[in-house]
């Protein structure tokens, strides 16, 4: 079992219960980006040793997706938040 | 407009449905009971708007997700909840349910905190919904397609505690 | 030889226990360990060392060192000094050619020593190259300790228990017990874990005592697994108190590994716990008060103690142990020989800080006391007693000044590493502690550095002239002590997904195989082609409950799906079905399936059998990104599904529905979706044709699985499995995502250029499709027929000018087509209908021809019938 | 043989850094050292320094599975690793250092017919390229590895295997030390405990490398830093298509010879071999989230233990002794990123995931050729970083999913 990741709904749980979708990326906006802009977005990553904003889903728990800021050097989670824009209620 | 009848075991002709655990629990000790065909709804939307009726139990996983356990006909409960503006799906057929007794047995199967139930989390290596009743009585719901193996794992854990014959 | 009753002895002299040792009868008392019983009966040599096969006897008597490793009941590498005695146990020495007392391989110690310095194997046996396998075989046979019993297939019982504690105290010494009792006064939830036998069954008020049990390590999140024999307790505690005490450190001097050189605590255990007189004449080399007390205890036990040296006040220049046949015969102290059969020697105590270091504590060197102490504990941890350094100090463990040739002073008894080996490694340039560790293997043996790390650091510091603080320690990693694979593995079950119809397939004698996370029927008999024929000629039924099934519902369900798929859905009428493929934003094909519109705001999506979870997560993730007002509900398990297919499908179905007109040709067209009660079971019926014949996929509540299956079979439907389905779909040139495509395949190359609707504002993968369309094509997926009646392997290579030029992804013999057919990736210039190419089959190439369109019923008349 | 008596330094004690080197190699692992060695040996370029932030071989080189094999899926990959295995076979003699290459064969087990197809696909590619590789059934598996549980008891019964006779294991540290010694003797400078903190860039060139021990000018720069590749490239202002993950492994206590061949199961996600020391070396998949924190997880141990016992139930009472983790640099297509970058004199060996160690000698040969001649050798042309910008990937990743 690995580090505990706090789920906004279920509280801290072992990371094995989650699916990780990696660092938050920015999808190229506008009509048709260049191949370079597209491939930068699809393949290239900052892969920082430091605080990374990333997507997680509590797969084995409530099932919800959320965002976490985690220090990849220590696995410490500094904050979690619900996705923006929040799903309309 | 569809009413999603095809999701509801209660809409099937009498005698046409069977529990996914009936083979695994054939001859099982009484600490383990099969709850698989008891009515349950999966809820989506503003869960706060759902009112549990008589004998019903609402389990809230997040503000937008939950389950409603109902002693009545879940097909009818779906209509009622939908009328209140919340999406509901009959998931009676989706889940295999087990009633278990004993904290130690539970601890052999899940690392969920038994004082903080209900909760969704791993149980016997599959995703589950775990509820606590009075004393050391628990209910566990797992995907029905994994139910057979989970039931065997429960019986095996009982054997490990020398509680089962 | 046993002493009279000792006040705190663990043995029950009324209970004699018999076992066999090395083929002979042996015995002891209840409460003995196998090691204490053997020692009491006069056994002194317990093992042969890893490399030199030197005789070794009890050293620590606390389960840390490798000296008492034996095979017990076929289990290799058991530390018999702490293994409880049990009746009938079969105990055998290991790593011995001959017997413990006469080991033929001890010759390596005599003549091999000079020829096998540290790392010798890197420098020898290089040439000639063909000899290496032979050398290697010899090396491998010499290495290793115990033997795995190859016939052992016992699936022992191991359990795992998930536990919580308010306070978990590791270590049941004085400070651990006091901490536990104090914590217990503040409420329940206090657990004390101790390795030793002493606390077995002990009662501490308000404290749950687990003993003998061993905390294996501290993992992230404060997870502490505890080895309690057949059960692994996985503790999470709000507060963890580490009171693991200290470890006695051996002195390093020539002959320090001789049988009869022991650590004080080990000697004390023999006397106190097992009432054994450990020797007749002992020399005590003490570095702390505890060790001095052992001298008194020895005397009380009737052992002559001709010499006690307190190394703190009377430093000796040179210590040497002399031996006969590997057993101590004298201690030579600054040149003066003292005859003895026991040398009790220790360099003092080093805090046992491993667990704290694993938890993230920093460890620093205290030069004044010669020990490493934990500093800066992470939050939630507390350290108490000797582990903090309290009462700990060591003298310099190296006592071999004035070393002579032929001296062997062991820094590491596990790996037979001598001071000379370490010195040599440093001289060769392995001049960091980590490099030196890797080269000499010091600290890498069964004790994992417990008895050798400090000495190796101090030796290293002395030789290189840097301070111990600069040298530093190597990383502390779990486990703290070796743990059985079986215990970590836990119970044996591996959950498999089974459809609600699964047992009907087993009852029908189907061959069951894994298909992704599911168990599925491969075929029902020996001849899958019979099942294919039944579908073509009459009626077949296959369990497709494994298909992923997802409901997408909400005011913006259309918008969501139109952005997830390259297809259009807004123009679909309720009750219609469309084939859809999802791609990544890089344009790679991820999954495919059908999308049925059930209502304006409700869609029913199917995915591949292995794709359900990933596709659901993918949908949900994008929806979290975009925030559409739509819900995604995975109903894969809620619904069973069967595909009823064949020319007789309509007729059979019409007999099971209330009104046969509901399934008449005009009322239920190809690609229609309809709710129907079939044999009393409400179904969502989808008229689709994956297998190429008239067919209906019936999706219905799982609990009705067996009932509906039975009814369909009773109507004459032949059950068919995955293999016949693969043939049937290949005849239609329908692809299987993940088999015919790989992680790089895109829609255009896979022949689905008709699918993406580029006029849509956006969909996942749109940007990539646009670029792919502009780019030169590299390969394309096409159908082919073989020129000969041979079936190429799936994965067979298309050979162009002797080089790989493409690959076959699917191939089967089709009776209906009368040929071997398949799908292959080919260079675009070779994809014209009828183009000949060659496929490697076994050691030759066989011709094949490109064939566009379906192989069977190209017009689709049969499935649209 | 005489060497075993003589105590001679393996490599010189590092001196001061010079102000300039023709080639600066970042990373003192097997790739960096091999590149330096072949630069000196084959191209006579000896004004080379290796900058290593810790001790040599401290990263992935000393933490990998030690498995060597060439049975890859893509023709590009298989041809590349074929050359690597060929070099490894001769390397002990070439370096005059016994790397203890134990070539007893490598079995990739299949537990489903999908697994069989994937094996077959690899075997077909391999055979065409002259790599010994074939799909075998249970009877032949039993001959090669009678210890495997081939019954239908396991949850995942074994259906067949991809057999690769030249596969095996090697002493990973020895590879590092052998290359280091040989490179050192040819004049290459190795500077451990020297961390690169900056790359000075002037337009399309790196002009100098800043380190914790000062600044050095560089004619050409090679980065071979595995899990840290993104960080080093970042110093030059470049992003890479890489994420960093931990890979974990453990060894058991040593036992007498039990297993000769290397056993890998794709479906159980576990591999096991027995070292010459008698330890079982066991590992699993990389962790799915990115991290630079090298602590291991208990769930990994539990998972691997469970799955090893599926294959070898006899080992249930063998004890786990030592665990460790390493950092892996994962590329989107599981193929390496090797060769030129958009910065003219900055070359890369990265994106290896869990395959890097298997490629060390051929990376050395090809990168050295690139650095020396400025031309990309044909063997590594498919692995250029540029492929991610042109979107022409080399998929070692057979899609795991199989549908319907």
């Amino acid at each position: 079992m690995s580090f505990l990741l706090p789920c906004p709904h279920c509280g801290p749980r072992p990371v094995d219960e989650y699916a990780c979708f990696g660092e938050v990326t920015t999808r190229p906006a506008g009509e048709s980006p260049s191949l370079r802009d597209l491939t930068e977005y699809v393949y290239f990553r900052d892969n920082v040793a430091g605080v990374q904003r990333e997507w997680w889903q509590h797969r084995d728990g409530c099932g919800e997706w959320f965002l976490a800021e985690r220090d990849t050097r220590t696995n410490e989670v500094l904050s979690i938040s619900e996705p923006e824009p929040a799903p309309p209620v | 407009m569809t009413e999603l009848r095809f999701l509801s075991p209660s809409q099937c002709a009498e005698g046409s449905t069977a529990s996914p655990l009936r083979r695994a629990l054939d001859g099982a000790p009484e600490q383990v009971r099969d709850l698989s065909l008891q009515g349950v709804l999966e809820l989506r939307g503003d869960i706060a708007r759902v009112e549990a009726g008589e004998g019903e139990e609402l389990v809230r996983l997040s503000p937008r997700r939950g389950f409603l356990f109902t002693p009545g006909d879940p097909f009818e409960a779906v209509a009622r909840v939908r009328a209140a503006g919340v999406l509901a799906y009959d998931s009676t057929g989706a889940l295999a349910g087990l009633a278990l007794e004993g904290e130690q047995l539970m601890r052999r199967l899940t690392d969920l905190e038994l004082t903080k139930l209900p909760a969704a989390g791993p149980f016997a290596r599959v995703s589950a919904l775990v509820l606590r009743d009075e004393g050391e009585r628990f209910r566990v719901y797992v995907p029905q397609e994994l139910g057979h193996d989970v039931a065997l794992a429960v019986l095996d854990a009982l054997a490990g505690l020398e509680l089962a014959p | 030889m046993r002493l009279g009753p000792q006040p705190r002895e663990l043995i029950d002299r009324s209970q004699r226990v018999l076992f066999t040792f090395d083929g002979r009868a042996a015995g002891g008392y209840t409460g003995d360990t196998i090691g204490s019983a053997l020692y009491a009966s006069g056994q002194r040599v317990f093992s042969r060392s890893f490399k030199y096969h030197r005789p070794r006897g009890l050293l620590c008597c606390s389960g840390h060192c490798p000296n008492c490793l034996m095979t017990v009941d076929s289990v290799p590498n058991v530390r018999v000094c702490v293994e409880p005695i049990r009746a009938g146990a079969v105990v055998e020495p290991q790593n011995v050619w001959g017997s413990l007392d006469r080991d033929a391989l001890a010759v390596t110690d005599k003549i091999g020593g000079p020829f096998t310095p540290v790392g010798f194997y890197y420098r020898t046996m290089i040439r000639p190259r063909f000899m290496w396998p032979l050398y290697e075989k010899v090396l491998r046979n010499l290495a290793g300790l115990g033997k795995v019993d190859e016939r052992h297939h016992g699936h022992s019982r191991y359990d795992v228990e998930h536990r919580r504690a308010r306070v978990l105290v590791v270590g049941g010494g004085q400070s651990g017990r006091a901490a536990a009792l104090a914590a217990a006064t503040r409420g329940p939830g206090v657990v004390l874990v101790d390795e030793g036998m002493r606390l077995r069954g002990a009662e501490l008020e308000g404290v749950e005592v687990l003993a003998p049990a061993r905390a294996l390590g501290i993992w992230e999140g404060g997870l502490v697994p505890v080895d309690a024999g057949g059960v692994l307790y996985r503790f999470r505690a709000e507060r963890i108190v580490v009171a693991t005490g200290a470890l006695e450190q051996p002195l390093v001097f020539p002959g320090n590994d001789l049988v009869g050189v022991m650590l004080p605590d080990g000697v004390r255990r023999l006397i106190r716990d097992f009432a054994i007189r450990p020797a007749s004449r002992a020399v005590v080399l003490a570095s702390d008060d505890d060790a001095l007390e052992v001298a008194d205890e020895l005397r009380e036990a009737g052992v002559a103690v001709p010499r006690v040296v307190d190394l703190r006040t009377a430093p000796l220049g040179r210590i040497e142990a002399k031996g006969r046949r590997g057993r101590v015969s004298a201690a030579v102290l600054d040149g003066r020989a003292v005859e003895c059969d026991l040398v009790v020697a220790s360099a003092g105590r080093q805090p046992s800080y491993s667990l704290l270091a694993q938890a993230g504590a920093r460890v620093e060197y205290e030069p004044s006391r010669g020990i490493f102490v934990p500093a800066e504990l992470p939050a939630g941890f507390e350290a108490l007693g000797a582990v903090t350094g309290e009462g700990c100090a060591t003298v310099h463990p190296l006592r071999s000044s004035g070393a002579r040739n032929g001296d062997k002073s062991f820094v590491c008894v596990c790996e037979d590493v001598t001071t000379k080996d370490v010195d040599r490694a440093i001289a060769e340039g392995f001049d960091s502690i980590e490099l030196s560790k890797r080269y000499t293997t010091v600290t890498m043996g069964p004790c994992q550095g417990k008895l050798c790390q400090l000495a190796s650091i101090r030796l290293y510091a002395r030789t290189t002239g840097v301070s111990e603080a600069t040298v530093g320690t190597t990383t502390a990693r779990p486990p703290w002590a070796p743990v059985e694979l079986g215990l970590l593995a836990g119970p044996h079950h591996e959950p498999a997904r089974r459809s609600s119809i699964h047992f009907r397939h087993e009852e029908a004698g189907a061959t069951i195989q894994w298909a992704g996370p599911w168990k599925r029927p491969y075929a029902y008999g020996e001849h899958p082609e019979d099942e294919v024929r039944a579908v073509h000629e009459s009626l077949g039924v296959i369990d497709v409950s494994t298909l992923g099934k997802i409901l997408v519902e909400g005011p913006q369900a259309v918008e969501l799906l139109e952005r997830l798929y390259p297809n259009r859905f807004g123009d679909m009428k309720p009750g219609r079905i469309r084939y859809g493929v999802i791609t990544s934003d890089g344009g790679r094909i991820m999954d495919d399936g059908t999308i049925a519109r059930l209502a304006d705001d409700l869609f029913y999506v199917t995915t591949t059998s292995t794709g359900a979870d990933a596709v659901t997560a993918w949908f949900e993730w994008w929806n979290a990104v975009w925030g559409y007002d739509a819900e995604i509900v995975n109903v894969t398990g809620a619904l069973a599904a069967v595909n009823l297919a064949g020319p007789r499908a309509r007729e059979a179905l019409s007999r099971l529905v209330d009104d046969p007109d509901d399934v008449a040709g005009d009322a239920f067209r190809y690609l229609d979706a309809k709710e129907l009660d079939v044999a009393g079971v409400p179904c969502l019926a989808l008229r689709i044709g994956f297998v190429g014949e008239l067919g209906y996929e019936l999706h219905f509540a799982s609990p009705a699985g067996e009932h509906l299956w039975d009814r369909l079979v009773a109507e004459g439907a032949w059950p068919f499995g995955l293999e016949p389905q693969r043939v049937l779909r290949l005849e239609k040139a329908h692809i299987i995502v993940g088999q015919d495509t790989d992680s790089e395949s895109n829609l255009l190359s896979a022949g689905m250029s008709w699918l993406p609707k580029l006029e849509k504002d956006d969909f996942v993968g749109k940007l990539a499709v646009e670029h792919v369309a502009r780019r030169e094509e590299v390969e394309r997926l096409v159908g082919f027929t073989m020129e000969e009646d041979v079936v190429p392997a799936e994965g067979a290579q298309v050979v162009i000018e002797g080089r790989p030029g493409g690959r076959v992804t699917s191939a089967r013999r089709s009776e209906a087509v009368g040929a071997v057919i398949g799908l292959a990736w080919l260079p675009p210039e070779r994809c014209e209908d009828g183009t000949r190419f060659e496929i490697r089959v076994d050691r030759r190439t066989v011709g094949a021809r490109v064939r566009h369109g379906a192989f069977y019923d190209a017009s689709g008349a049969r499935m649209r019938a | 043989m005489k060497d075993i008596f003589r105590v001679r330094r393996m490599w010189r004690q590092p001196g001061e850094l010079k102000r300039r080197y023709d080639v600066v190699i970042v990373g003192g692992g097997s790739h960096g050292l091999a590149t330096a060695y072949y630069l000196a040996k084959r191209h006579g370029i000896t004004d080379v320094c290796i900058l290593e932030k810790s001790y040599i071989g401290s990263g992935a080189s000393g933490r990998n599975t030690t498995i060597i094999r060439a049975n890859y899926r893509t023709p590009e990959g298989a041809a590349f690793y074929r050359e690597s295995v060929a070099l490894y076979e001769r390397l002990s003699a070439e370096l005059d250092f016994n790397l203890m290459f134990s070539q007893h064969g490598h079995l990739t087990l299949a537990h489903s017919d999908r697994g069989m197809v994937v094996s077959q696909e690899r075997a077909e590619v391999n055979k065409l390229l002259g790599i010994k590789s074939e799909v075998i059934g249970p009877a032949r598996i039993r001959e090669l590895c009678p210890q495997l549980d081939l019954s239908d008891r396991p949850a995942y019964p074994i259906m067949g295997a991809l057999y690769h006779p030249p596969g095996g294991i090697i002493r990973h540290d020895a590879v590092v030390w052998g290359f280091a010694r040989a490179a050192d003797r040819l004049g290459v400078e190795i500077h451990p405990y020297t961390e690169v903190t900056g790359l000075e860039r002037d337009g399309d060139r790196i002009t100098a490398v800043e380190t914790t021990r000062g600044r050095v000018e560089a004619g050409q720069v090679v980065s071979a830093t595995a899990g840290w590749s993104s960080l080093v490239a970042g110093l030059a202002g470049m992003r890479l298509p890489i994420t960093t993950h931990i890979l974990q492994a453990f060894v058991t206590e040593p036992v007498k010879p039990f297993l000769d061949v290397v056993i890998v199961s794709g479906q159980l996600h576990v591999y096991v071999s027995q070292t010459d020391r008698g330890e079982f070396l066991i590992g699993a998949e990389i962790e799915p989230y990115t991290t630079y924190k090298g602590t291991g997880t208990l769930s990994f141990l539990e998972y691997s233990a469970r799955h090893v016992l599926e294959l070898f139930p006899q080992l249930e009472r063998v004890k786990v002794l030592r665990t460790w983790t390493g950092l892996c640099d994962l590329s989107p297509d599981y193929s390496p990123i090797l060769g030129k970058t958009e910065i003219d004199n900055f070359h890369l060996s990265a994106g290896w995931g869990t395959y890097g160690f298997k490629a060390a000698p051929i990376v050395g040969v090809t990168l050295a050729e690139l650095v020396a001649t400025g031309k990309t050798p044909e063997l590594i042309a498919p692995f250029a970083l540029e492929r991610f910008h042109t979107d022409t990937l080399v998929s070692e990743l057979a899609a795991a999913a199989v549908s319907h």
Side-chain angles (χ1 to χ4, degrees), chain C residues 307-319:
Chain C
R307 184 89 194 265
V308 179
V309 182
D310 185 340
L311 294 170
R312 292 170 298 185
T313 53
L316 292 168
R318 179 177 162 85
I319 300 170

Side-chain angles (χ1 to χ4, degrees), chain B:
Chain B
M1 179 66 196
T2 175
E3 293 176 287
L4 299 172
R5 274 182 74 235
F6 59 87
L7 277 172
S8 284
S10 67
Q11 297 298 297
C12 296
E14 209 169 320
S16 66
T17 58
S19 160
L21 304 185
R22 75 177 201 285
R23 284 178 175 80
L25 294 185
D26 188 23
E30 60 185 23
Q31 296 99 315
V32 185
R33 280 186 304 119
D34 185 353
L35 304 176
S36 300
L37 293 180
Q38 293 194 356
V40 54
L41 277 54
E42 182 164 357
L43 307 176
R44 293 298 178 87
D46 185 2
I47 301 293
R49 293 157 93 169
V50 179
E51 279 183 38
E54 175 83 32
E56 289 183 338
E57 185 176 5
L58 177 67
V59 177
R60 184 178 164 280
L61 294 181
S62 80
R64 301 192 50 81
R65 288 176 181 230
F67 285 93
L68 183 71
F69 290 87
T70 178
D73 183 349
F75 183 71
E76 286 164 16
V78 165
R80 194 188 84 224
V81 173
R82 282 185 169 247
V86 173
L87 293 178
Y89 305 87
D90 189 343
S91 53
T92 307
L95 300 174
L98 292 146
L100 305 176
E101 209 171 327
E103 270 209 21
Q104 198 184 7
L105 173 65
M106 291 297 288
R107 287 199 305 258
R108 293 250 163 138
L109 293 156
T110 182
D111 77 337
L112 286 171
E113 271 192 76
L114 301 181
T115 52
K116 294 185 182 166
L117 299 177
F123 179 94
R125 297 176 186 150
V126 313
S127 300
L129 182 64
V130 182
L131 298 85
R132 184 165 194 154
D133 294 332
E134 277 165 33
E136 297 202 9
R137 303 215 321 268
F138 299 87
R139 279 173 289 147
V140 178
Y141 294 87
V142 298
Q144 65 85 16
E145 63 272 29
L146 291 158
H148 181 80
D149 277 347
V150 169
L152 294 181
V154 167
L155 296 178
D156 180 57
L158 270 175
L161 292 168
E162 292 172 359
L163 296 174

Side-chain angles (χ1 to χ4, degrees), chain A residues 48-70:
Chain A
V48 296
V51 178
Q52 173 167 290
R53 198 153 169 263
E54 54 196 16
W55 281 102
W56 291 89
Q57 181 202 23
H58 194 190
R59 186 192 54 217
D60 292 339
C62 63
E64 298 278 15
W65 284 92
F66 62 97
L67 293 155
E69 290 198 329
R70 179 176 60 102

Side-chain angles (χ1 to χ4, degrees), chain D residues 7 54 69 71 97 107 158-159 183 189 199 242 245 278 281 326 330 374 388 392:
Chain D
V7 178
S54 181
R69 62 181 177 86
N71 58 351
F97 202 67
L107 288 174
I158 296 165
M159 288 176 67
E189 288 182 21
L199 294 172
I242 278 178
H245 304 254
L281 200 171
L330 201 65
F388 294 98
T392 46

